[in-house]
Amino acid sequence: LDLPRTYGVDDIPVVIQDRQFSAQRQFVFQEGGVGQQGSTIVINGTVDPYLELAPGVNRLRLLNGSNARVYQIGLESDETFYQIGSDGGWLEAPVALTRLRMAPGERAEILLDLTGQGGSSFTILSYSSELTRGEPGGVRGPGGPPPPPGGDIDGTDFPLLEIRVTSGGTT
């Protein structure tokens, strides 16, 4: 297939996780951490990450590495991106999306067409306000777990990853 294949250049792994940090900036793990949600998003282990991509088509290999949080992924401009793969392998054809819901442990491959966007930047967000009440990461339902210390991002839209499009030519 004619897809971006230069690993780390136009073919990028993106591991999304929510974590909780102590005052000493160490990961906080609860006993039996299943279902634990954090208030800080890390991408590939980095807080407040950004990614520089060249204009042209770029491939992101997404993994929801969170213990419990569901993400409703989309571009801040509501522009279309294309899903080409999932946990089950390649899709028969690219699927045009403005949102991609990802449960814990789920994988997806998407294409971003950045042709003609050199010098611009945008953010990939989680539109968690669109998740259903009580869904992990959505608006908290009655009787649900308490918010994590340090802030609650459940039911809010928040940034995952800033994309900075370089000024170079298309790839």
Side-chain angles (χ1 to χ4, degrees):
L1 298 174
D2 186 23
L3 292 171
R5 295 182 184 278
T6 307
Y7 188 81
V9 176
D10 61 5
D11 181 2
I12 311 291
V14 177
V15 179
I16 307 165
Q17 296 176 303
D18 60 335
R19 292 289 181 237
Q20 197 61 40
F21 291 93
S22 71
Q24 294 76 34
R25 299 168 64 176
Q26 301 294 312
F27 283 143
V28 174
F29 292 98
Q30 294 175 348
E31 188 69 30
V34 175
Q36 177 183 355
Q37 290 181 305
S39 59
T40 302
I41 300 299
V42 295
I43 303 292
N44 297 346
T46 303
V47 176
D48 295 326
Y50 70 90
L51 181 60
E52 290 185 350
L53 296 174
V57 177
N58 289 268
R59 175 176 167 183
L60 301 182
R61 299 175 188 243
L62 306 175
L63 168 66
N64 179 349
S66 295
N67 291 333
R69 185 174 301 280
V70 174
Y71 297 97
Q72 179 81 333
I73 296 171
L75 307 181
E76 71 178 323
S77 59
D78 279 332
E79 287 189 42
T80 301
F81 56 93
Y82 298 89
Q83 184 177 4
I84 60 169
S86 71
D87 289 326
W90 297 111
L91 304 180
E92 281 189 37
V95 177
L97 301 171
T98 58
R99 298 288 189 276
L100 174 64
R101 184 170 295 200
M102 293 188 71
E106 194 170 5
R107 294 178 302 131
E109 291 195 28
I110 64 171
L111 296 177
L112 300 175
D113 187 353
L114 306 177
T115 303
Q117 295 185 36
S120 68
S121 67
F122 62 93
T123 302
I124 297 175
L125 300 172
S126 180
Y127 288 91
S128 296
S129 64
E130 298 174 2
L131 298 174
T132 59
R133 178 174 291 282
E135 189 171 12
V139 176
R140 290 180 182 273
D152 188 4
I153 58 175
D154 288 353
T156 66
D157 300 340
F158 54 85
L160 295 173
L161 177 63
E162 180 186 357
I163 303 292
R164 299 175 184 173
V165 186
T166 63
S167 297
T170 61
T171 59

